[in-house]
mmCIF file of all heavy atoms in Angstrom:
data_model
loop_
_atom_site.group_PDB
_atom_site.id
_atom_site.type_symbol
_atom_site.label_atom_id
_atom_site.label_comp_id
_atom_site.label_asym_id
_atom_site.label_seq_id
_atom_site.Cartn_x
_atom_site.Cartn_y
_atom_site.Cartn_z
ATOM 1 N N ALA A 141 44.936 -27.854 73.134
ATOM 2 C CA ALA A 141 45.727 -26.893 72.347
ATOM 3 C C ALA A 141 44.825 -25.990 71.511
ATOM 4 O O ALA A 141 45.059 -24.778 71.402
ATOM 5 C CB ALA A 141 46.705 -27.647 71.445
ATOM 6 N N THR A 142 43.781 -26.570 70.917
ATOM 7 C CA THR A 142 42.889 -25.773 70.071
ATOM 8 C C THR A 142 42.098 -24.765 70.898
ATOM 9 O O THR A 142 41.888 -23.620 70.478
ATOM 10 C CB THR A 142 41.934 -26.686 69.289
ATOM 11 O OG1 THR A 142 42.706 -27.631 68.538
ATOM 12 C CG2 THR A 142 41.067 -25.894 68.330
ATOM 13 N N LEU A 143 41.652 -25.167 72.099
ATOM 14 C CA LEU A 143 40.933 -24.232 72.970
ATOM 15 C C LEU A 143 41.838 -23.084 73.411
ATOM 16 O O LEU A 143 41.402 -21.934 73.502
ATOM 17 C CB LEU A 143 40.382 -24.976 74.192
ATOM 18 C CG LEU A 143 39.172 -25.875 73.920
ATOM 19 C CD1 LEU A 143 38.834 -26.708 75.152
ATOM 20 C CD2 LEU A 143 37.958 -25.042 73.500
ATOM 21 N N ARG A 144 43.109 -23.400 73.671
ATOM 22 C CA ARG A 144 44.062 -22.344 74.037
ATOM 23 C C ARG A 144 44.226 -21.371 72.863
ATOM 24 O O ARG A 144 44.222 -20.152 73.031
ATOM 25 C CB ARG A 144 45.399 -22.974 74.401
ATOM 26 C CG ARG A 144 46.396 -21.976 74.980
ATOM 27 C CD ARG A 144 47.754 -22.616 75.220
ATOM 28 N NE ARG A 144 47.649 -23.825 76.016
ATOM 29 C CZ ARG A 144 48.019 -25.036 75.628
ATOM 30 N NH1 ARG A 144 48.541 -25.197 74.427
ATOM 31 N NH2 ARG A 144 47.892 -26.084 76.402
ATOM 32 N N HIS A 145 44.348 -21.943 71.669
ATOM 33 C CA HIS A 145 44.476 -21.115 70.459
ATOM 34 C C HIS A 145 43.219 -20.260 70.267
ATOM 35 O O HIS A 145 43.296 -19.086 69.900
ATOM 36 C CB HIS A 145 44.694 -22.040 69.263
ATOM 37 C CG HIS A 145 44.851 -21.344 67.955
ATOM 38 N ND1 HIS A 145 45.779 -20.330 67.734
ATOM 39 C CD2 HIS A 145 44.183 -21.487 66.771
ATOM 40 C CE1 HIS A 145 45.678 -19.905 66.496
ATOM 41 N NE2 HIS A 145 44.720 -20.575 65.885
ATOM 42 N N LEU A 146 42.053 -20.854 70.540
ATOM 43 C CA LEU A 146 40.787 -20.134 70.389
ATOM 44 C C LEU A 146 40.712 -18.957 71.363
ATOM 45 O O LEU A 146 40.235 -17.870 71.006
ATOM 46 C CB LEU A 146 39.622 -21.104 70.619
ATOM 47 C CG LEU A 146 38.210 -20.553 70.448
ATOM 48 C CD1 LEU A 146 38.013 -19.948 69.066
ATOM 49 C CD2 LEU A 146 37.175 -21.649 70.698
ATOM 50 N N ARG A 147 41.183 -19.153 72.571
ATOM 51 C CA ARG A 147 41.186 -18.045 73.546
ATOM 52 C C ARG A 147 42.087 -16.908 73.064
ATOM 53 O O ARG A 147 41.727 -15.726 73.178
ATOM 54 C CB ARG A 147 41.653 -18.552 74.912
ATOM 55 C CG ARG A 147 40.599 -19.331 75.690
ATOM 56 C CD ARG A 147 41.001 -19.466 77.148
ATOM 57 N NE ARG A 147 42.208 -20.268 77.302
ATOM 58 C CZ ARG A 147 42.205 -21.602 77.424
ATOM 59 N NH1 ARG A 147 41.056 -22.266 77.410
ATOM 60 N NH2 ARG A 147 43.334 -22.268 77.569
ATOM 61 N N ASP A 148 43.264 -17.257 72.519
ATOM 62 C CA ASP A 148 44.170 -16.219 72.006
ATOM 63 C C ASP A 148 43.518 -15.449 70.852
ATOM 64 O O ASP A 148 43.608 -14.218 70.774
ATOM 65 C CB ASP A 148 45.483 -16.862 71.522
ATOM 66 C CG ASP A 148 46.301 -17.435 72.674
ATOM 67 O OD1 ASP A 148 46.046 -17.045 73.824
ATOM 68 O OD2 ASP A 148 47.168 -18.295 72.412
ATOM 69 N N LEU A 149 42.869 -16.201 69.966
ATOM 70 C CA LEU A 149 42.215 -15.550 68.819
ATOM 71 C C LEU A 149 41.088 -14.636 69.280
ATOM 72 O O LEU A 149 40.903 -13.536 68.742
ATOM 73 C CB LEU A 149 41.660 -16.618 67.865
ATOM 74 C CG LEU A 149 42.679 -17.439 67.077
ATOM 75 C CD1 LEU A 149 41.983 -18.582 66.342
ATOM 76 C CD2 LEU A 149 43.422 -16.544 66.080
ATOM 77 N N THR A 150 40.328 -15.082 70.268
ATOM 78 C CA THR A 150 39.208 -14.277 70.767
ATOM 79 C C THR A 150 39.723 -12.979 71.382
ATOM 80 O O THR A 150 39.117 -11.916 71.208
ATOM 81 C CB THR A 150 38.410 -15.083 71.812
ATOM 82 O OG1 THR A 150 37.958 -16.308 71.206
ATOM 83 C CG2 THR A 150 37.207 -14.302 72.293
ATOM 84 N N ARG A 151 40.849 -13.052 72.086
ATOM 85 C CA ARG A 151 41.427 -11.849 72.672
ATOM 86 C C ARG A 151 41.882 -10.886 71.565
ATOM 87 O O ARG A 151 41.626 -9.680 71.629
ATOM 88 C CB ARG A 151 42.611 -12.222 73.559
ATOM 89 C CG ARG A 151 43.177 -11.035 74.331
ATOM 90 C CD ARG A 151 44.287 -11.423 75.275
ATOM 91 N NE ARG A 151 45.426 -11.996 74.587
ATOM 92 C CZ ARG A 151 45.744 -13.291 74.571
ATOM 93 N NH1 ARG A 151 45.003 -14.152 75.232
ATOM 94 N NH2 ARG A 151 46.794 -13.735 73.914
ATOM 95 N N LEU A 152 42.534 -11.449 70.530
ATOM 96 C CA LEU A 152 42.960 -10.612 69.410
ATOM 97 C C LEU A 152 41.758 -9.999 68.693
ATOM 98 O O LEU A 152 41.786 -8.837 68.267
ATOM 99 C CB LEU A 152 43.778 -11.446 68.418
ATOM 100 C CG LEU A 152 45.169 -11.878 68.876
ATOM 101 C CD1 LEU A 152 45.770 -12.856 67.881
ATOM 102 C CD2 LEU A 152 46.076 -10.663 69.017
ATOM 103 N N LYS A 153 40.700 -10.781 68.581
ATOM 104 C CA LYS A 153 39.498 -10.283 67.899
ATOM 105 C C LYS A 153 38.886 -9.108 68.652
ATOM 106 O O LYS A 153 38.440 -8.131 68.035
ATOM 107 C CB LYS A 153 38.479 -11.427 67.767
ATOM 108 C CG LYS A 153 37.179 -11.002 67.094
ATOM 109 C CD LYS A 153 36.147 -12.113 67.146
ATOM 110 C CE LYS A 153 34.772 -11.581 66.779
ATOM 111 N NZ LYS A 153 33.721 -12.614 66.917
ATOM 112 N N ARG A 154 38.851 -9.189 69.982
ATOM 113 C CA ARG A 154 38.288 -8.077 70.760
ATOM 114 C C ARG A 154 39.074 -6.794 70.505
ATOM 115 O O ARG A 154 38.498 -5.716 70.321
ATOM 116 C CB ARG A 154 38.311 -8.420 72.249
ATOM 117 C CG ARG A 154 37.154 -9.303 72.698
ATOM 118 C CD ARG A 154 36.980 -9.216 74.206
ATOM 119 N NE ARG A 154 38.144 -9.746 74.905
ATOM 120 C CZ ARG A 154 38.292 -11.011 75.274
ATOM 121 N NH1 ARG A 154 37.333 -11.873 75.018
ATOM 122 N NH2 ARG A 154 39.377 -11.419 75.899
ATOM 123 N N GLY A 155 40.415 -6.918 70.474
ATOM 124 C CA GLY A 155 41.245 -5.740 70.213
ATOM 125 C C GLY A 155 41.028 -5.197 68.810
ATOM 126 O O GLY A 155 40.925 -3.982 68.609
ATOM 127 N N ALA A 156 40.939 -6.104 67.827
ATOM 128 C CA ALA A 156 40.742 -5.680 66.437
ATOM 129 C C ALA A 156 39.381 -5.019 66.266
ATOM 130 O O ALA A 156 39.237 -4.040 65.529
ATOM 131 C CB ALA A 156 40.869 -6.884 65.505
ATOM 132 N N LEU A 157 38.375 -5.550 66.959
ATOM 133 C CA LEU A 157 37.027 -4.988 66.872
ATOM 134 C C LEU A 157 36.998 -3.577 67.461
ATOM 135 O O LEU A 157 36.394 -2.660 66.888
ATOM 136 C CB LEU A 157 36.045 -5.902 67.618
ATOM 137 C CG LEU A 157 34.563 -5.569 67.485
ATOM 138 C CD1 LEU A 157 34.129 -5.630 66.024
ATOM 139 C CD2 LEU A 157 33.726 -6.529 68.318
ATOM 140 N N ASP A 158 37.679 -3.393 68.588
ATOM 141 C CA ASP A 158 37.739 -2.067 69.207
ATOM 142 C C ASP A 158 38.409 -1.066 68.280
ATOM 143 O O ASP A 158 37.962 0.078 68.139
ATOM 144 C CB ASP A 158 38.497 -2.142 70.536
ATOM 145 C CG ASP A 158 37.694 -2.851 71.612
ATOM 146 O OD1 ASP A 158 36.473 -3.005 71.419
ATOM 147 O OD2 ASP A 158 38.288 -3.262 72.625
ATOM 148 N N ARG A 159 39.520 -1.510 67.649
ATOM 149 C CA ARG A 159 40.234 -0.587 66.764
ATOM 150 C C ARG A 159 39.401 -0.267 65.526
ATOM 151 O O ARG A 159 39.372 0.868 65.062
ATOM 152 C CB ARG A 159 41.575 -1.195 66.356
ATOM 153 C CG ARG A 159 42.611 -1.176 67.476
ATOM 154 C CD ARG A 159 43.993 -1.471 66.943
ATOM 155 N NE ARG A 159 44.069 -2.814 66.377
ATOM 156 C CZ ARG A 159 44.283 -3.912 67.099
ATOM 157 N NH1 ARG A 159 44.438 -3.823 68.402
ATOM 158 N NH2 ARG A 159 44.331 -5.099 66.534
ATOM 159 N N TRP A 176 41.772 -7.301 58.756
ATOM 160 C CA TRP A 176 42.381 -8.108 59.811
ATOM 161 C C TRP A 176 41.306 -8.698 60.713
ATOM 162 O O TRP A 176 41.375 -9.858 61.125
ATOM 163 C CB TRP A 176 43.356 -7.245 60.590
ATOM 164 C CG TRP A 176 43.940 -7.830 61.842
ATOM 165 C CD1 TRP A 176 44.065 -7.210 63.043
ATOM 166 C CD2 TRP A 176 44.490 -9.147 62.028
ATOM 167 N NE1 TRP A 176 44.652 -8.041 63.959
ATOM 168 C CE2 TRP A 176 44.922 -9.241 63.365
ATOM 169 C CE3 TRP A 176 44.649 -10.247 61.199
ATOM 170 C CZ2 TRP A 176 45.506 -10.394 63.885
ATOM 171 C CZ3 TRP A 176 45.236 -11.399 61.726
ATOM 172 C CH2 TRP A 176 45.647 -11.457 63.036
ATOM 173 N N LEU A 177 40.265 -7.919 60.994
ATOM 174 C CA LEU A 177 39.164 -8.428 61.811
ATOM 175 C C LEU A 177 38.485 -9.612 61.112
ATOM 176 O O LEU A 177 38.170 -10.629 61.748
ATOM 177 C CB LEU A 177 38.149 -7.312 62.062
ATOM 178 C CG LEU A 177 36.899 -7.709 62.850
ATOM 179 C CD1 LEU A 177 37.254 -8.205 64.241
ATOM 180 C CD2 LEU A 177 35.930 -6.519 62.943
ATOM 181 N N VAL A 179 39.844 -11.660 58.915
ATOM 182 C CA VAL A 179 40.764 -12.803 58.966
ATOM 183 C C VAL A 179 40.674 -13.485 60.326
ATOM 184 O O VAL A 179 40.586 -14.721 60.433
ATOM 185 C CB VAL A 179 42.215 -12.348 58.685
ATOM 186 C CG1 VAL A 179 43.197 -13.472 58.983
ATOM 187 C CG2 VAL A 179 42.360 -11.895 57.240
ATOM 188 N N LEU A 180 40.677 -12.665 61.390
ATOM 189 C CA LEU A 180 40.586 -13.229 62.744
ATOM 190 C C LEU A 180 39.287 -13.998 62.949
ATOM 191 O O LEU A 180 39.273 -15.088 63.540
ATOM 192 C CB LEU A 180 40.683 -12.105 63.776
ATOM 193 C CG LEU A 180 42.080 -11.615 64.121
ATOM 194 C CD1 LEU A 180 42.005 -10.396 65.026
ATOM 195 C CD2 LEU A 180 42.879 -12.725 64.809
ATOM 196 N N GLU A 181 38.190 -13.434 62.459
ATOM 197 C CA GLU A 181 36.904 -14.120 62.629
ATOM 198 C C GLU A 181 36.896 -15.455 61.892
ATOM 199 O O GLU A 181 36.336 -16.439 62.377
ATOM 200 C CB GLU A 181 35.771 -13.217 62.146
ATOM 201 C CG GLU A 181 35.528 -12.037 63.097
ATOM 202 C CD GLU A 181 34.472 -11.090 62.599
ATOM 203 O OE1 GLU A 181 34.288 -11.009 61.364
ATOM 204 O OE2 GLU A 181 33.837 -10.425 63.433
ATOM 205 N N HIS A 182 37.526 -15.488 60.724
ATOM 206 C CA HIS A 182 37.625 -16.760 60.003
ATOM 207 C C HIS A 182 38.394 -17.786 60.834
ATOM 208 O O HIS A 182 37.979 -18.954 60.944
ATOM 209 C CB HIS A 182 38.334 -16.548 58.668
ATOM 210 C CG HIS A 182 38.691 -17.822 57.968
ATOM 211 N ND1 HIS A 182 37.771 -18.617 57.322
ATOM 212 C CD2 HIS A 182 39.876 -18.469 57.852
ATOM 213 C CE1 HIS A 182 38.372 -19.669 56.825
ATOM 214 N NE2 HIS A 182 39.656 -19.615 57.133
ATOM 215 N N LEU A 183 39.490 -17.357 61.448
ATOM 216 C CA LEU A 183 40.294 -18.273 62.262
ATOM 217 C C LEU A 183 39.524 -18.729 63.501
ATOM 218 O O LEU A 183 39.631 -19.883 63.924
ATOM 219 C CB LEU A 183 41.610 -17.596 62.666
ATOM 220 C CG LEU A 183 42.554 -17.242 61.509
ATOM 221 C CD1 LEU A 183 43.739 -16.428 62.014
ATOM 222 C CD2 LEU A 183 43.038 -18.501 60.812
ATOM 223 N N VAL A 184 38.725 -17.818 64.083
ATOM 224 C CA VAL A 184 37.908 -18.189 65.247
ATOM 225 C C VAL A 184 36.880 -19.243 64.849
ATOM 226 O O VAL A 184 36.708 -20.262 65.535
ATOM 227 C CB VAL A 184 37.208 -16.933 65.823
ATOM 228 C CG1 VAL A 184 36.123 -17.344 66.817
ATOM 229 C CG2 VAL A 184 38.217 -16.023 66.496
ATOM 230 N N PHE A 185 36.192 -19.007 63.729
ATOM 231 C CA PHE A 185 35.196 -19.988 63.273
ATOM 232 C C PHE A 185 35.853 -21.345 63.007
ATOM 233 O O PHE A 185 35.298 -22.402 63.330
ATOM 234 C CB PHE A 185 34.497 -19.491 61.997
ATOM 235 C CG PHE A 185 33.578 -18.334 62.224
ATOM 236 C CD1 PHE A 185 33.418 -17.351 61.257
ATOM 237 C CD2 PHE A 185 32.859 -18.204 63.405
ATOM 238 C CE1 PHE A 185 32.579 -16.272 61.462
ATOM 239 C CE2 PHE A 185 32.013 -17.122 63.622
ATOM 240 C CZ PHE A 185 31.880 -16.163 62.651
ATOM 241 N N ALA A 186 37.047 -21.323 62.399
ATOM 242 C CA ALA A 186 37.737 -22.575 62.080
ATOM 243 C C ALA A 186 38.131 -23.316 63.357
ATOM 244 O O ALA A 186 37.993 -24.545 63.441
ATOM 245 C CB ALA A 186 38.980 -22.279 61.231
ATOM 246 N N ALA A 187 38.604 -22.577 64.369
ATOM 247 C CA ALA A 187 38.989 -23.213 65.637
ATOM 248 C C ALA A 187 37.763 -23.785 66.348
ATOM 249 O O ALA A 187 37.820 -24.884 66.914
ATOM 250 C CB ALA A 187 39.706 -22.193 66.532
ATOM 251 N N GLU A 188 36.648 -23.041 66.303
ATOM 252 C CA GLU A 188 35.419 -23.544 66.924
ATOM 253 C C GLU A 188 34.945 -24.828 66.222
ATOM 254 O O GLU A 188 34.506 -25.784 66.877
ATOM 255 C CB GLU A 188 34.328 -22.475 66.868
ATOM 256 C CG GLU A 188 34.591 -21.290 67.781
ATOM 257 C CD GLU A 188 33.584 -20.175 67.610
ATOM 258 O OE1 GLU A 188 32.910 -20.136 66.546
ATOM 259 O OE2 GLU A 188 33.471 -19.330 68.509
ATOM 260 N N ALA A 189 35.048 -24.832 64.900
ATOM 261 C CA ALA A 189 34.642 -26.021 64.147
ATOM 262 C C ALA A 189 35.545 -27.207 64.491
ATOM 263 O O ALA A 189 35.080 -28.357 64.580
ATOM 264 C CB ALA A 189 34.687 -25.725 62.644
ATOM 265 N N VAL A 191 37.073 -27.784 67.342
ATOM 266 C CA VAL A 191 36.688 -28.293 68.664
ATOM 267 C C VAL A 191 35.433 -29.163 68.549
ATOM 268 O O VAL A 191 35.354 -30.241 69.158
ATOM 269 C CB VAL A 191 36.458 -27.126 69.652
ATOM 270 C CG1 VAL A 191 35.858 -27.642 70.960
ATOM 271 C CG2 VAL A 191 37.769 -26.398 69.927
#
Side-chain angles (χ1 to χ4, degrees):
T142 304
L143 286 172
R144 188 185 307 120
H145 180 53
L146 182 57
R147 283 195 295 272
D148 292 342
L149 290 172
T150 303
R151 186 176 61 255
L152 289 172
K153 179 187 167 184
R154 279 199 296 270
L157 188 60
D158 288 344
R159 286 194 297 276
W176 171 225
L177 177 61
V179 170
L180 278 173
E181 288 177 333
H182 170 75
L183 296 173
V184 167
F185 290 146
E188 290 174 340
V191 172

